[in-house]
Amino acid sequence: MAVEASADPALADRLSAVREGIAAASRAAGRGEDATTLIVVTKFHPAALVRALAGLGVRDVGENRHQEAQAKAEELAGLGLRWHFVGQLQTKKARQAARYAAAIHSIDRERLVDALALGPEEAPGRVIDAFLQINLTDDPGRGGVAPEGIEALAERVLQAPGLRLRGVMAVAPLEEPPAAAFARLAGYSERVRALDPAADRISAGMTHDYAEAIAAGATHLRIGSAITGKRPEPR
């Protein structure tokens, strides 16, 4: 059974250390310290940990499993959190995810866009921030749209009711330096901005490579274990 966050006195220290690291990386890159949004990824951790993080000022929380994300969002509905879905999303689960997710960072195919599109009768006034996940490898089995499909997917999002194209997302491949991968992602971001200048966000950077992501222009960082501690085993 996972240890509850209230029993972890180091949580605040780890969060502070990451915030200081982000500030230092931002200064080194010549960027303002408020240029990035920290998303704390809480995969496999209990709702109690998310509640403790909220008490420490965290407002953006990331999850990559729909069932877990949905349960936590329902339990913690009164905390004013912004839930970011950052994992692979099944098309058949899209409508359910749209009920709690403020942002979805893993949009990689047109069928998913169509499934997420919300008409005014379904969710009056609700708009989901949409990030296109880009595959930075030559392996089609990896998550993300291939670079040659970026414009078509972006156009599909721009036409979808209830979605707001925010930018791009990617995970740096382990087989190359993250700085090189994030430089390519910045180039893909320019292609998306050519279609919609407002879609200027870049979701990139995790525990081990957020400094390189910041240097390449990342606006959203997805950081988990450096803050939450070791993940419990999935149940």
Side-chain angles (χ1 to χ4, degrees):
M1 182 175 178
V3 177
E4 292 197 355
S6 58
D8 183 1
L11 181 64
D13 293 338
R14 291 194 300 268
L15 175 61
S16 178
V18 168
R19 284 172 168 163
E20 290 172 4
I22 291 171
S26 299
R27 290 192 297 270
R31 301 179 64 194
E33 295 183 15
D34 60 350
T36 57
T37 296
L38 170 61
I39 301 167
V40 182
V41 180
T42 57
K43 176 182 178 180
F44 298 147
H45 288 282
L49 181 139
V50 182
R51 190 181 298 277
L53 287 167
L56 295 170
V58 170
R59 288 295 173 265
D60 292 272
V61 180
E63 291 286 340
N64 59 2
R65 298 197 312 169
H66 163 66
Q67 187 172 356
E68 183 177 354
Q70 180 174 246
K72 288 179 184 175
E74 290 177 357
E75 182 174 345
L76 304 172
L79 296 182
L81 298 171
R82 281 178 50 84
W83 293 91
H84 298 252
F85 194 86
V86 301
Q88 295 301 300
L89 181 59
Q90 296 178 14
T91 302
K92 64 182 180 180
K93 300 293 186 182
R95 273 289 196 274
Q96 297 174 48
R99 297 192 185 110
Y100 61 81
I104 296 178
H105 293 239
S106 51
I107 293 178
D108 60 358
R109 59 198 186 279
E110 294 184 7
R111 286 182 59 235
L112 180 58
V113 175
D114 296 342
L116 286 168
L118 297 174
E121 70 285 352
E122 295 175 283
R126 179 162 172 75
V127 178
I128 299 169
D129 287 345
F131 290 78
L132 309 185
Q133 182 175 357
I134 314 298
N135 186 349
L136 297 181
T137 77
D138 295 326
D139 180 0
R142 297 278 186 95
V145 62
E148 59 267 25
I150 289 173
E151 281 80 6
L153 186 59
E155 291 283 9
R156 193 65 156 253
V157 173
L158 288 170
Q159 296 166 7
L163 295 181
R164 173 170 48 204
L165 182 61
R166 275 306 198 191
V168 297
M169 179 275 243
V171 177
L174 295 176
E175 55 268 21
E176 72 172 305
F182 292 143
R184 291 205 310 283
L185 182 61
Y188 299 144
S189 173
E190 291 180 5
R191 287 168 52 180
V192 172
R193 294 202 310 275
L195 298 174
D196 181 2
D200 58 355
R201 274 61 163 186
I202 298 176
S203 173
M206 298 187 291
T207 291
H208 60 286
D209 59 16
Y210 69 79
E212 291 89 343
I214 290 171
T219 60
H220 290 68
L221 311 172
R222 310 180 308 274
I223 300 178
S225 59
I227 296 170
T228 62
K230 185 179 179 181
R231 285 175 177 160
E233 293 298 318
R235 289 174 292 180

